[in-house]
Amino acid sequence: MKTDLSKILSISGQRGLFLYLAQARNGAVVESLSDKKRMVADIRSRITTLEDISIYTSEGETKLREVFLKMKGVLGDAPAPTSKASSDELKSLFEKALPDYDGDRFYVSHMKKVVDWYNEIKEYASFDFVDPDEENQAETE
């Protein structure tokens, strides 16, 4: 099954990733990817879809979907280092996967989030992503 990053959410103050299920009166009904528990994410929470996240590079920005695919190319079937890995280990991974990342704007704290998200997508979803351009084209036909 394809993973739709526009429905995978990061919610500030909450650990892990969530799948958007439905709109609620006071927020969104979401389900944790890891334990499948459902909850209502409050409308005041900072909710971000993974589709909307990009990493700064020297050439501009690279969408998170592309970063995940490049990481998979470097890591193969192995998991990414955990967020508890050393700064050097994380930087080494991103130097291989995204050699032109902007070190002045893409910090180790960001790298930790990305590797955690990568491992969660690897375990509970797939790297076969829904292409939003194909989806939009299908809707217009």
Coordinates of all heavy atoms in Angstrom, one line a residue, residues 11-101:
I11 N 2.8 16.1 15.2 CA 2.0 17.0 16.1 C 2.9 17.5 17.2 O 3.5 16.6 18.0 CB 0.8 16.3 16.7 CG1 -0.1 15.8 15.5 CG2 0.0 17.2 17.6 CD1 -1.2 14.9 16.0
S12 N 3.1 18.8 17.4 CA 4.0 19.3 18.4 C 3.5 18.8 19.8 O 2.3 18.8 20.1 CB 4.1 20.8 18.4 OG 2.8 21.4 18.7
G13 N 4.4 18.5 20.6 CA 4.1 18.0 22.0 C 3.7 16.5 22.0 O 3.5 16.0 23.1
Q14 N 3.7 15.9 20.9 CA 3.3 14.4 20.8 C 4.5 13.7 20.2 O 5.1 14.1 19.2 CB 2.1 14.2 20.0 CG 0.8 14.8 20.5 CD 0.4 14.2 21.8 OE1 0.5 13.0 22.0 NE2 -0.2 15.0 22.7
R15 N 4.8 12.5 20.7 CA 5.9 11.7 20.2 C 5.4 10.8 19.1 O 4.3 10.3 19.1 CB 6.4 10.8 21.3 CG 7.6 10.1 21.0 CD 8.3 9.6 22.3 NE 9.4 8.8 22.0 CZ 10.6 9.3 21.7 NH1 10.8 10.6 21.7 NH2 11.6 8.5 21.4
G16 N 6.1 10.7 18.0 CA 5.8 9.8 16.9 C 5.0 10.5 15.8 O 4.8 11.7 15.8
L17 N 4.5 9.7 14.9 CA 3.8 10.2 13.7 C 2.3 9.7 13.8 O 2.1 8.6 14.4 CB 4.4 9.7 12.4 CG 5.8 10.2 12.1 CD1 6.3 9.5 10.9 CD2 5.7 11.7 11.9
F18 N 1.4 10.4 13.2 CA 0.0 10.1 13.2 C -0.6 10.1 11.8 O -0.2 10.8 11.0 CB -0.7 11.1 14.1 CG -0.2 11.1 15.5 CD1 0.9 11.9 15.9 CD2 -0.9 10.4 16.5 CE1 1.4 11.9 17.2 CE2 -0.4 10.4 17.8 CZ 0.7 11.1 18.1
L19 N -1.6 9.3 11.7 CA -2.4 9.2 10.4 C -3.6 10.0 10.6 O -4.4 9.8 11.6 CB -2.7 7.7 10.1 CG -3.6 7.5 8.9 CD1 -2.8 8.0 7.6 CD2 -3.9 6.0 8.8
Y20 N -3.9 10.9 9.7 CA -5.1 11.8 9.7 C -6.3 10.9 9.3 O -6.2 10.2 8.3 CB -5.0 12.9 8.7 CG -6.3 13.7 8.6 CD1 -6.6 14.7 9.5 CD2 -7.1 13.4 7.5 CE1 -7.8 15.4 9.3 CE2 -8.3 14.1 7.4 CZ -8.7 15.1 8.3 OH -9.8 15.8 8.1
L21 N -7.3 10.9 10.2 CA -8.5 10.1 9.9 C -9.7 10.9 9.5 O -10.4 10.6 8.5 CB -8.9 9.2 11.1 CG -7.8 8.2 11.5 CD1 -8.3 7.4 12.7 CD2 -7.6 7.2 10.4
A22 N -10.0 12.0 10.2 CA -11.1 12.8 10.0 C -11.0 14.1 10.7 O -10.3 14.3 11.6 CB -12.4 12.1 10.4
Q23 N -11.9 15.1 10.2 CA -12.0 16.4 10.9 C -12.9 16.2 12.1 O -13.9 15.5 12.0 CB -12.6 17.4 9.9 CG -12.6 18.8 10.4 CD -11.2 19.4 10.5 OE1 -10.3 19.1 9.6 NE2 -10.9 20.1 11.5
A24 N -12.5 16.8 13.2 CA -13.4 16.9 14.4 C -13.8 18.3 14.6 O -13.2 19.2 14.1 CB -12.6 16.3 15.6
R25 N -14.8 18.5 15.4 CA -15.2 19.9 15.7 C -14.1 20.8 16.3 O -14.0 21.9 15.9 CB -16.4 19.8 16.7 CG -17.0 21.2 16.9 CD -18.3 21.1 17.8 NE -19.0 19.9 17.7 CZ -19.4 19.2 18.8 NH1 -19.1 19.6 20.0 NH2 -20.0 18.0 18.7
N26 N -13.3 20.2 17.1 CA -12.2 21.0 17.8 C -10.8 20.5 17.4 O -9.9 20.7 18.1 CB -12.4 20.9 19.3 CG -12.4 19.5 19.8 OD1 -12.5 18.5 19.0 ND2 -12.2 19.3 21.1
G27 N -10.7 20.0 16.2 CA -9.3 19.5 15.7 C -9.4 18.5 14.7 O -10.3 18.5 13.8
A28 N -8.6 17.4 14.8 CA -8.5 16.4 13.8 C -8.4 15.0 14.6 O -7.7 14.9 15.6 CB -7.3 16.5 12.9
V29 N -9.2 14.0 14.1 CA -9.1 12.7 14.6 C -7.9 12.0 14.0 O -7.8 12.0 12.7 CB -10.3 11.9 14.3 CG1 -10.2 10.5 14.9 CG2 -11.6 12.6 14.9
V30 N -6.9 11.6 14.8 CA -5.7 11.0 14.3 C -5.5 9.6 14.9 O -6.0 9.3 16.0 CB -4.5 11.9 14.5 CG1 -4.6 13.2 13.8 CG2 -4.2 12.1 16.0
E31 N -4.6 8.8 14.3 CA -4.3 7.5 14.8 C -2.8 7.4 14.8 O -2.1 7.7 13.8 CB -4.9 6.4 13.9 CG -4.6 5.0 14.4 CD -5.2 4.0 13.5 OE1 -4.6 3.7 12.4 OE2 -6.4 3.5 13.8
S32 N -2.2 7.0 15.9 CA -0.8 6.8 16.1 C -0.3 5.7 15.1 O -1.0 4.6 15.0 CB -0.4 6.4 17.5 OG 1.0 6.0 17.6
L33 N 0.8 5.9 14.3 CA 1.3 4.9 13.4 C 1.8 3.7 14.2 O 1.6 2.6 13.8 CB 2.4 5.4 12.6 CG 2.0 6.3 11.4 CD1 3.3 6.6 10.6 CD2 1.0 5.7 10.5
S34 N 2.4 3.9 15.4 CA 3.0 2.9 16.1 C 2.1 2.0 16.9 O 2.1 0.8 16.8 CB 4.1 3.4 17.0 OG 3.5 4.3 18.0
D35 N 1.1 2.6 17.7 CA 0.3 1.7 18.5 C -1.2 1.8 18.1 O -2.0 1.1 18.8 CB 0.5 2.1 20.0 CG 0.0 3.5 20.3 OD1 -0.6 4.2 19.5 OD2 0.4 4.0 21.4
K36 N -1.5 2.5 17.0 CA -2.9 2.5 16.5 C -3.9 3.2 17.4 O -5.1 3.0 17.2 CB -3.4 1.1 16.0 CG -2.5 0.4 15.0 CD -2.4 1.2 13.7 CE -1.6 0.5 12.7 NZ -1.1 1.3 11.7
K37 N -3.4 3.8 18.5 CA -4.4 4.5 19.4 C -4.9 5.8 18.7 O -4.1 6.5 18.1 CB -3.7 4.9 20.7 CG -3.4 3.7 21.6 CD -2.9 4.1 22.9 CE -2.6 2.8 23.7 NZ -2.0 3.1 25.0
R38 N -6.2 6.0 18.9 CA -6.8 7.2 18.3 C -7.0 8.3 19.3 O -7.2 8.0 20.5 CB -8.2 6.8 17.7 CG -8.0 5.9 16.5 CD -9.3 5.6 15.9 NE -9.1 4.8 14.7 CZ -10.0 4.5 13.8 NH1 -11.3 4.9 14.0 NH2 -9.8 3.7 12.8
M39 N -6.9 9.5 18.8 CA -7.1 10.7 19.7 C -7.5 11.9 18.8 O -7.5 11.8 17.6 CB -5.8 11.0 20.5 CG -4.7 11.5 19.6 SD -3.3 12.0 20.6 CE -2.6 13.3 19.7
V40 N -8.0 12.9 19.5 CA -8.3 14.1 18.8 C -7.1 15.1 19.0 O -6.8 15.4 20.2 CB -9.6 14.8 19.3 CG1 -9.8 16.1 18.6 CG2 -10.8 13.8 19.0
A41 N -6.5 15.5 18.0 CA -5.4 16.5 18.0 C -6.1 17.9 18.1 O -6.8 18.3 17.2 CB -4.5 16.4 16.8
D42 N -5.9 18.6 19.1 CA -6.5 19.9 19.4 C -6.1 20.9 18.2 O -5.0 20.9 17.7 CB -6.0 20.5 20.7 CG -6.7 21.7 21.1 OD1 -6.3 22.8 20.7 OD2 -7.7 21.6 21.8
I43 N -7.1 21.7 17.9 CA -6.9 22.7 16.8 C -5.8 23.6 17.1 O -5.2 24.2 16.2 CB -8.2 23.4 16.5 CG1 -8.2 24.0 15.1 CG2 -8.5 24.5 17.5 CD1 -9.6 24.3 14.6
R44 N -5.5 23.9 18.4 CA -4.4 24.8 18.7 C -3.0 24.1 18.7 O -2.0 24.8 18.8 CB -4.6 25.3 20.1 CG -5.8 26.3 20.2 CD -6.0 26.8 21.6 NE -6.3 25.8 22.5 CZ -7.5 25.4 22.9 NH1 -8.5 26.1 22.5 NH2 -7.7 24.5 23.8
S45 N -3.0 22.8 18.5 CA -1.7 22.1 18.4 C -1.1 22.4 17.0 O -1.8 22.7 16.0 CB -1.9 20.6 18.4 OG -2.5 20.2 19.6
R46 N 0.3 22.5 17.0 CA 0.9 22.7 15.7 C 1.0 21.4 15.0 O 1.8 20.5 15.3 CB 2.3 23.3 16.0 CG 2.8 24.1 14.8 CD 4.0 24.9 15.1 NE 5.1 24.1 15.6 CZ 5.9 24.4 16.6 NH1 5.7 25.6 17.2 NH2 6.8 23.6 17.0
I47 N 0.2 21.2 13.9 CA 0.1 20.0 13.2 C 0.7 20.2 11.8 O 0.3 21.2 11.1 CB -1.4 19.5 13.0 CG1 -2.0 19.3 14.4 CG2 -1.5 18.3 12.1 CD1 -3.5 19.0 14.3
T48 N 1.6 19.4 11.4 CA 2.3 19.5 10.1 C 2.2 18.2 9.4 O 2.5 17.2 9.9 CB 3.8 19.9 10.3 OG1 3.8 21.1 11.2 CG2 4.4 20.2 9.0
T49 N 1.9 18.3 8.1 CA 1.9 17.0 7.3 C 3.4 16.9 6.8 O 4.1 17.8 6.6 CB 1.0 17.1 6.1 OG1 1.5 18.1 5.1 CG2 -0.4 17.5 6.4
L50 N 3.8 15.6 6.7 CA 5.2 15.4 6.2 C 5.3 15.8 4.8 O 6.4 16.1 4.4 CB 5.5 13.9 6.4 CG 5.6 13.3 7.8 CD1 6.3 12.0 7.8 CD2 6.3 14.3 8.8
E51 N 4.3 15.9 4.1 CA 4.3 16.3 2.7 C 4.8 17.8 2.6 O 5.4 18.2 1.6 CB 2.9 16.2 2.0 CG 2.9 16.6 0.6 CD 3.6 15.6 -0.3 OE1 3.6 14.4 -0.1 OE2 4.3 16.1 -1.2
D52 N 4.5 18.6 3.6 CA 4.8 20.0 3.6 C 6.2 20.3 4.1 O 6.6 21.5 4.1 CB 3.8 20.8 4.5 CG 2.4 20.8 3.9 OD1 2.3 20.6 2.7 OD2 1.4 20.9 4.7
I53 N 6.9 19.3 4.6 CA 8.3 19.6 5.2 C 9.3 19.4 4.1 O 9.3 18.5 3.3 CB 8.5 18.6 6.3 CG1 7.5 18.8 7.4 CG2 9.9 18.7 6.9 CD1 7.5 17.9 8.6
S54 N 10.3 20.4 4.1 CA 11.4 20.3 3.2 C 12.7 20.6 4.0 O 12.7 21.1 5.1 CB 11.3 21.4 2.2 OG 10.2 21.2 1.3
I55 N 13.8 20.1 3.5 CA 15.1 20.3 4.1 C 15.9 21.3 3.3 O 15.9 21.2 2.1 CB 15.9 18.9 4.1 CG1 15.1 17.8 4.8 CG2 17.3 19.1 4.8 CD1 14.7 18.1 6.2
Y56 N 16.5 22.3 4.0 CA 17.3 23.3 3.3 C 18.6 22.7 2.7 O 19.3 21.9 3.4 CB 17.7 24.4 4.3 CG 16.5 25.2 4.8 CD1 16.2 25.2 6.1 CD2 15.9 26.1 3.9 CE1 15.1 26.0 6.5 CE2 14.8 26.8 4.3 CZ 14.4 26.8 5.7 OH 13.4 27.6 6.1
T57 N 18.8 23.0 1.5 CA 20.1 22.6 0.8 C 20.7 23.9 0.2 O 20.1 24.9 0.2 CB 19.8 21.6 -0.3 OG1 19.0 22.2 -1.3 CG2 19.1 20.4 0.2
S58 N 21.9 23.7 -0.3 CA 22.6 24.8 -1.0 C 21.9 25.3 -2.2 O 22.0 26.4 -2.7 CB 24.0 24.5 -1.3 OG 24.1 23.3 -2.1
E59 N 21.1 24.4 -2.8 CA 20.3 24.7 -4.0 C 18.9 25.2 -3.8 O 18.2 25.4 -4.7 CB 20.3 23.4 -5.0 CG 21.6 22.9 -5.4 CD 22.4 23.9 -6.2 OE1 21.8 24.6 -7.1 OE2 23.6 24.1 -5.9
G60 N 18.5 25.2 -2.5 CA 17.1 25.6 -2.2 C 16.6 24.7 -1.1 O 17.1 24.7 0.0
E61 N 15.5 23.9 -1.5 CA 14.9 23.0 -0.5 C 14.7 21.7 -1.2 O 14.4 21.6 -2.4 CB 13.6 23.6 0.0 CG 13.7 24.8 0.7 CD 12.4 25.4 1.2 OE1 11.3 24.8 0.8 OE2 12.4 26.4 1.9
T62 N 14.7 20.6 -0.4 CA 14.4 19.2 -0.9 C 13.3 18.7 -0.1 O 13.4 18.7 1.2 CB 15.7 18.3 -0.8 OG1 16.7 18.9 -1.6 CG2 15.3 16.9 -1.3
K63 N 12.2 18.2 -0.7 CA 11.1 17.7 0.0 C 11.5 16.5 0.8 O 12.3 15.7 0.4 CB 10.0 17.2 -1.0 CG 9.3 18.4 -1.7 CD 8.3 18.9 -0.7 CE 7.3 19.9 -1.4 NZ 6.5 20.5 -0.3
L64 N 10.8 16.3 1.9 CA 11.1 15.2 2.9 C 11.0 13.9 2.2 O 11.8 13.0 2.4 CB 10.2 15.3 4.1 CG 10.5 14.4 5.2 CD1 11.9 14.6 5.7 CD2 9.5 14.6 6.4
R65 N 10.0 13.7 1.3 CA 9.8 12.4 0.6 C 11.1 12.1 -0.2 O 11.6 10.9 -0.2 CB 8.6 12.5 -0.4 CG 9.0 12.9 -1.8 CD 8.0 12.9 -2.9 NE 6.6 13.3 -2.5 CZ 5.6 12.4 -2.4 NH1 5.8 11.2 -2.7 NH2 4.4 12.9 -2.1
E66 N 11.8 13.1 -0.8 CA 13.0 12.8 -1.5 C 14.1 12.5 -0.6 O 15.0 11.6 -0.9 CB 13.4 14.0 -2.4 CG 12.4 14.4 -3.5 CD 12.1 13.2 -4.4 OE1 13.0 12.5 -4.8 OE2 10.9 13.1 -4.8
V67 N 14.2 13.2 0.6 CA 15.2 12.9 1.6 C 15.1 11.5 2.1 O 16.0 10.7 2.2 CB 15.1 13.9 2.7 CG1 16.1 13.5 3.9 CG2 15.4 15.3 2.3
F68 N 13.8 11.0 2.3 CA 13.6 9.6 2.8 C 14.1 8.7 1.7 O 14.7 7.7 2.1 CB 12.1 9.4 3.0 CG 11.6 9.9 4.3 CD1 10.2 10.2 4.5 CD2 12.4 10.2 5.4 CE1 9.7 10.7 5.7 CE2 11.9 10.7 6.6 CZ 10.6 10.9 6.7
L69 N 13.8 8.9 0.5 CA 14.2 8.0 -0.6 C 15.7 8.0 -0.7 O 16.3 6.9 -1.0 CB 13.5 8.4 -1.9 CG 12.0 8.2 -2.0 CD1 11.4 8.7 -3.2 CD2 11.6 6.7 -1.8
K70 N 16.4 9.1 -0.6 CA 17.8 9.2 -0.6 C 18.4 8.4 0.6 O 19.4 7.7 0.4 CB 18.3 10.6 -0.7 CG 18.0 11.3 -2.0 CD 18.5 12.7 -2.0 CE 18.1 13.3 -3.4 NZ 18.8 14.6 -3.6
M71 N 17.8 8.6 1.7 CA 18.3 7.9 2.9 C 18.1 6.4 2.7 O 19.0 5.6 3.1 CB 17.5 8.3 4.2 CG 17.8 9.7 4.6 SD 16.7 10.3 6.0 CE 17.2 9.2 7.3
K72 N 17.0 5.9 2.1 CA 16.8 4.5 1.9 C 17.9 4.0 0.9 O 18.4 2.9 1.0 CB 15.4 4.3 1.3 CG 15.1 2.8 1.1 CD 13.7 2.6 0.7 CE 13.2 1.2 0.5 NZ 14.1 0.1 0.7
G73 N 18.3 4.8 -0.1 CA 19.3 4.5 -1.0 C 20.7 4.2 -0.3 O 21.4 3.3 -0.7
V74 N 20.9 5.0 0.7 CA 22.2 4.9 1.5 C 22.1 3.7 2.5 O 23.0 3.0 2.6 CB 22.5 6.2 2.2 CG1 23.6 6.0 3.2 CG2 22.9 7.3 1.2
L75 N 21.0 3.6 3.2 CA 20.8 2.6 4.2 C 20.4 1.3 3.8 O 20.6 0.3 4.5 CB 19.8 3.1 5.3 CG 20.2 4.4 6.0 CD1 19.0 5.0 6.7 CD2 21.3 4.1 7.0
G76 N 19.8 1.2 2.6 CA 19.3 -0.1 2.1 C 18.1 -0.5 3.0 O 17.2 0.2 3.3
D77 N 18.2 -1.8 3.5 CA 17.1 -2.3 4.4 C 17.4 -2.0 5.9 O 16.6 -2.4 6.8 CB 16.9 -3.8 4.2 CG 16.2 -4.1 2.8 OD1 15.5 -3.2 2.3 OD2 16.4 -5.2 2.3
A78 N 18.6 -1.5 6.2 CA 18.9 -1.2 7.6 C 18.2 0.0 8.1 O 17.8 0.9 7.3 CB 20.4 -0.9 7.7
P79 N 17.9 0.0 9.4 CA 17.2 1.2 10.0 C 18.2 2.4 10.0 O 19.4 2.2 10.0 CB 16.8 0.7 11.4 CG 17.7 -0.4 11.7 CD 18.1 -1.0 10.4
A80 N 17.7 3.6 10.1 CA 18.5 4.7 10.3 C 19.0 4.7 11.8 O 18.4 4.1 12.6 CB 17.7 6.0 10.1
P81 N 20.1 5.4 12.1 CA 20.5 5.5 13.5 C 19.4 6.2 14.3 O 18.6 6.9 13.7 CB 21.7 6.5 13.4 CG 22.1 6.7 12.0 CD 20.9 6.2 11.2
T82 N 19.3 5.9 15.5 CA 18.3 6.5 16.4 C 18.6 7.9 16.7 O 19.7 8.4 16.4 CB 18.1 5.7 17.7 OG1 19.2 5.9 18.5 CG2 17.8 4.3 17.5
S83 N 17.6 8.6 17.2 CA 17.9 10.0 17.6 C 18.9 10.2 18.7 O 19.4 11.2 19.0 CB 16.6 10.7 17.9 OG 15.9 10.1 19.0
K84 N 19.2 9.1 19.4 CA 20.2 9.1 20.4 C 21.6 8.9 19.9 O 22.6 8.9 20.7 CB 19.8 8.0 21.5 CG 18.5 8.2 22.2 CD 18.2 7.2 23.2 CE 17.0 7.3 24.0 NZ 16.0 8.1 23.6
A85 N 21.7 8.7 18.6 CA 23.1 8.6 18.0 C 23.9 9.9 18.2 O 23.3 10.9 18.4 CB 22.9 8.2 16.5
S86 N 25.2 9.7 18.0 CA 26.0 10.9 18.1 C 25.8 11.9 17.0 O 25.3 11.5 15.9 CB 27.5 10.5 18.1 OG 27.9 10.1 16.8
S87 N 26.1 13.1 17.2 CA 25.9 14.2 16.2 C 26.8 13.8 15.0 O 26.3 14.0 13.8 CB 26.4 15.5 16.7 OG 25.6 15.9 17.8
D88 N 28.0 13.3 15.2 CA 28.8 12.9 14.1 C 28.2 11.8 13.2 O 28.3 11.9 12.0 CB 30.2 12.5 14.6 CG 31.0 13.6 15.2 OD1 30.7 14.8 14.9 OD2 31.9 13.3 16.0
E89 N 27.6 10.8 13.9 CA 26.9 9.7 13.1 C 25.8 10.3 12.3 O 25.6 9.9 11.1 CB 26.5 8.7 14.1 CG 26.0 7.4 13.5 CD 25.6 6.3 14.5 OE1 25.9 6.5 15.7 OE2 25.1 5.3 14.0
L90 N 25.0 11.2 12.9 CA 23.9 11.7 12.1 C 24.3 12.6 10.9 O 23.8 12.5 9.8 CB 23.0 12.6 13.1 CG 22.2 11.8 14.1 CD1 21.6 12.7 15.1 CD2 21.2 10.8 13.5
K91 N 25.3 13.4 11.2 CA 25.9 14.3 10.1 C 26.4 13.4 9.0 O 26.3 13.7 7.8 CB 26.9 15.2 10.7 CG 26.4 16.4 11.5 CD 27.5 17.2 12.1 CE 26.9 18.3 12.9 NZ 28.0 19.1 13.5
S92 N 27.1 12.3 9.4 CA 27.7 11.4 8.4 C 26.6 10.8 7.5 O 26.8 10.8 6.3 CB 28.5 10.3 9.1 OG 28.9 9.4 8.2
L93 N 25.5 10.4 8.1 CA 24.4 9.9 7.3 C 23.9 10.9 6.3 O 23.7 10.6 5.1 CB 23.3 9.4 8.2 CG 22.0 9.0 7.5 CD1 22.1 7.9 6.6 CD2 20.9 8.8 8.5
F94 N 23.6 12.1 6.8 CA 23.1 13.1 5.9 C 24.1 13.6 4.9 O 23.7 14.1 3.8 CB 22.5 14.3 6.7 CG 21.1 13.9 7.3 CD1 21.0 13.4 8.6 CD2 20.0 14.0 6.5 CE1 19.8 13.0 9.1 CE2 18.7 13.6 7.0 CZ 18.6 13.1 8.3
E95 N 25.4 13.6 5.2 CA 26.4 13.9 4.2 C 26.4 12.9 3.0 O 26.6 13.3 1.9 CB 27.8 14.0 4.8 CG 27.9 15.3 5.7 CD 29.2 15.2 6.5 OE1 29.9 14.2 6.5 OE2 29.4 16.2 7.3
K96 N 26.0 11.7 3.3 CA 25.9 10.7 2.3 C 24.6 10.8 1.5 O 24.6 10.7 0.3 CB 26.1 9.3 2.9 CG 27.4 8.9 3.4 CD 27.4 7.6 4.1 CE 28.7 7.3 4.9 NZ 28.5 6.3 5.8
A97 N 23.5 10.9 2.3 CA 22.2 10.9 1.6 C 21.9 12.3 1.0 O 21.2 12.3 -0.1 CB 21.1 10.6 2.7
L98 N 22.3 13.4 1.6 CA 21.9 14.7 1.1 C 23.2 15.6 1.2 O 23.2 16.4 2.1 CB 20.8 15.2 1.9 CG 20.0 16.4 1.4 CD1 19.3 16.1 0.1 CD2 19.0 16.9 2.4
P99 N 24.2 15.3 0.4 CA 25.5 16.0 0.6 C 25.4 17.5 0.5 O 26.3 18.2 1.1 CB 26.3 15.4 -0.5 CG 25.4 14.7 -1.5 CD 24.2 14.5 -0.8
D100 N 24.4 18.1 -0.1 CA 24.4 19.5 -0.2 C 23.4 20.2 0.8 O 23.0 21.3 0.7 CB 24.0 20.0 -1.6 CG 22.6 19.5 -2.0 OD1 22.1 18.5 -1.4 OD2 22.0 20.0 -2.9
Y101 N 23.1 19.4 2.0 CA 22.3 20.0 3.0 C 22.9 21.3 3.5 O 24.2 21.4 3.6 CB 21.9 19.0 4.1 CG 22.9 18.7 5.1 CD1 23.0 19.6 6.2 CD2 23.7 17.6 5.0 CE1 24.0 19.3 7.2 CE2 24.7 17.3 6.0 CZ 24.8 18.2 7.1 OH 25.7 17.9 8.1

